Amino acid sequence: MEKKSMKFKSSSTSRILKVHNGTFLIGLLLTIVLFWQGDASARIFIDINAPSIQKIKIAIPDFRNLSREGENPELASELAGVVANDLEMSGYFSSMDKSAFLAEDKDALTQEEIHFKDWSVIGADLLLKAGYTCIGESVELEVRLFDVFWGRQILGKRFLGKAKQYRTLMHRVGNAIIKRLTGNQGIFLTKLAFVGTATGHKEIYVCDYDGYNLKRITFDRNIALLPRWSPKGDKLFYNSYRGGKGPVLYLKDMVSGRVKTVSARKGLNIGACWAPDGKSAALTLSEGDNPDIYSIDLEGNILRRLTNHWGIDVSPAFSPDGTKIAFVSNRSGSPQIYVRDLKKGTEKRLTFEGNYNTSPAWSSLNRIVYAGGEEGDRNIYTVSPDGSNLRKLTENQQNNEDPCWSANGRYIAFSSNRDGAYHIYIMNANGQNQTKITSFKGEQTSPSWSP
Amino acid sequence: MMKRMMIVLVAVSFACASLLMVTSCAKKQVKVEEGAKPAPAVTPAPTAKPEKAAPPKVEKREAAKKLEEERQARLRELERAQKLRAEIRAFESTNIYFDFDKSELKPEAQAVLEKKAAWLRAHPEYKVRIEGNCDERGTNEYNLALGERRANAAFKYLNALGISADRMTTISYGEERPADPRHNEEAWAKNRRDEFKLYK
């Protein structure tokens, strides 16, 4: 149900432009780049690899209700609100305040009808116009995205969904816009699993990436920890003390809802990290004695021992190609992050600053994020697997822990107690746009991001 | 039962009296003693007399004595149980504490464990579950491992003091069960601990 209808005018070679007070500022840090590709299939390109991103101003007026009986009028602002929040959360856009809108083209949906000057004068770079039609329980959406300066349509699509699940419908719209402007997959249909304490016990919960649609996953009334989405997002590893014998590893099938015990060895069975192929996992087993990292299959059989040291070895994280793991060891006297080449069997220390560096996670774009610091506040850092390019992403914001990547490697979810209790936050990979996602009762920690 | 005991008592007192009078060799004494036991059966006359003469009085006295003895026994039992409960409470409420990011036993901890070992030796019917805990700083996973190390440190020390390994189990709760939920050094110091739970 998606129809493309794009029209573009004349062409030139690639051009960098920045709309700012109506003037061009060429060569700015951040820009909208227009690539003209001969046959008029132009694209605005957001360089999401830039070190910092200046936000594109997007105007999203309320959607036009095209339903025959005018049913569900509240959706006009609700639908616009969801996608505005999505684009805002992406870190690439700032959604403009509706009270600033001047244009009196409320019902205008097409390029011909829109008064682009009225949008340009308030500083909008992009304009999103949409109409929706409710038919029974379904909603049909017609969405058009315009480049205000050029007065051109750059995306035109139809979407069909259920009125009750309008957030999901709008996340699809948001993803289409991100795909169109960045060439990358959006994160708006992803989910976060985390540990919550609302009931007084630590249980596993899942919610949409933006904090909506909260669902409780475990009912163990004990201690449930360390949820980990499978690479396909269909399964979830977690630890629970529900049997009373320490942290046992369970695997929940998120489709059937079935839970099975994977590893219940004596002592620790913790921190399962999925191999990129989703067929095995690395985790810490102690057999009640010395914690080392092993790889196991999904039945819990040990495939291989990955570390062998008298020190504490925990928190494995696979490299995107599965040939290496980052992990935490206290072999030097304090917890530090190491990288082990699984083929060569070599190990290299990665972190040297601070006396407490833990929780590594390895992104699909080959960056390692971790929580580190001295004994005081803990912060989120990223570093390349060779130890270069170290960056501190949080500062003076109390404790920031448990970082994990979005599947596309562009975002980091983490927990922070900057507002008193621990809640889940997300931010861009460069540390910008730190946004609180969960404000549920109790504390929320240990996020894992679904694909 | 009580009757027979009374009979024996009377017989014994008879025997004693005769013992005092008889000043012959040891063999004779033995003989007399031997004779005393069957005495009630053979010569019930002296005991039977008071029994028949005032049976209600004696029975009353016997019953009171019996009750008193039972009461005393119960009291002793209660006292013993109370003492044991107090010991168990003391055992379970005395933790050992660790330094930040450490699982080495400090001298104070060793002293506590030595007392615990002595108690466990005296109460072989009890087993102990050692629970390792950490303060909230750091990550769950690392702290779970550190907590296990702390539990294992106590396990090994008690084992070296002669407590059999099959009387001890360990579990790590990492940072999940703080004794003091506050977020300061005082609380953290209380939370870096091993707890000890007794079971049979």
Side-chain angles (χ1 to χ4, degrees), chain A residues 133-249:
Chain A
T133 313
C134 296
I135 309 146
E137 289 183 355
S138 305
V139 188
E140 196 191 42
L141 259 183
E142 201 182 315
V143 177
R144 287 188 177 86
L145 182 66
F146 299 97
D147 173 346
V148 170
F149 186 82
W150 292 101
R152 267 193 298 257
Q153 178 174 316
I154 50 180
L155 173 76
K157 267 189 174 183
R158 278 212 179 109
F159 296 84
L160 188 66
K162 292 259 184 296
K164 270 186 189 161
Q165 289 148 18
Y166 71 87
R167 296 196 69 86
T168 305
L169 175 68
M170 291 318 296
H171 291 326
R172 283 168 52 212
V173 175
N175 277 349
I177 293 171
I178 292 294
K179 178 85 182 154
R180 181 76 185 81
L181 296 182
T182 71
N184 280 274
Q185 297 299 330
I187 54 160
F188 308 138
L189 286 168
T190 60
K191 289 178 183 301
L192 292 167
F194 58 87
V195 174
T197 63
T199 62
H201 293 284
K202 284 197 169 182
E203 302 277 11
I204 310 292
Y205 295 79
V206 167
C207 68
D208 289 353
Y209 97 99
D210 57 3
Y212 284 81
N213 288 329
L214 178 69
K215 237 174 89 181
R216 186 165 151 198
I217 297 299
T218 61
F219 296 83
D220 295 352
R221 304 165 66 78
N222 206 309
I223 304 168
L225 296 169
L226 304 167
R228 303 289 164 84
W229 286 106
S230 64
K232 280 188 193 156
D234 57 343
K235 295 187 180 79
L236 194 73
F237 273 133
Y238 65 93
N239 281 111
S240 175
Y241 279 73
R242 72 178 186 198
K245 293 207 165 158
V248 167
L249 181 69

Side-chain angles (χ1 to χ4, degrees), chain A residues 337-349:
Chain A
I337 295 167
Y338 293 75
V339 171
R340 182 184 173 92
D341 187 312
L342 298 177
K343 279 183 188 153
K344 294 183 200 151
T346 52
E347 283 171 358
K348 221 185 80 187
R349 182 169 164 182

Side-chain angles (χ1 to χ4, degrees), chain A residues 202 222-223 225-226 228 241 244-247 266-268 270-271 284 286 288-291 310-312 314-316 328-330 333-335 356 358-359 371 375 378 401-402, chain B residues 100-104 129 132 134-152 155-156 168-177 183 185 188 192:
Chain A
K202 284 197 169 182
N222 206 309
I223 304 168
L225 296 169
L226 304 167
R228 303 289 164 84
Y241 279 73
K245 293 207 165 158
K266 187 168 179 267
L268 309 176
I270 57 166
T284 300
S286 69
D289 188 18
N290 190 51
W310 54 264
I312 290 175
V314 290
S315 301
V328 172
S329 178
N330 72 342
S334 69
Y356 206 107
T358 55
S359 307
E375 278 180 37
R378 292 171 52 69
E401 303 193 60
D402 311 325
Chain B
F100 177 68
D101 192 24
K102 293 282 179 285
S103 57
E104 286 80 27
R129 173 172 142 125
C134 304
D135 68 35
E136 62 181 345
R137 292 172 296 170
T139 50
N140 304 58
E141 281 173 81
Y142 184 80
N143 280 336
L144 284 167
L146 185 61
E148 188 176 59
R149 289 242 150 146
R150 287 175 176 168
N152 285 346
F155 180 101
K156 282 172 189 160
M168 298 185 283
T169 57
T170 57
I171 190 167
S172 170
Y173 285 111
E175 59 183 84
E176 310 302 334
R177 284 194 172 175
H183 312 284
E185 187 47 61
W188 294 331
R192 295 188 297 263

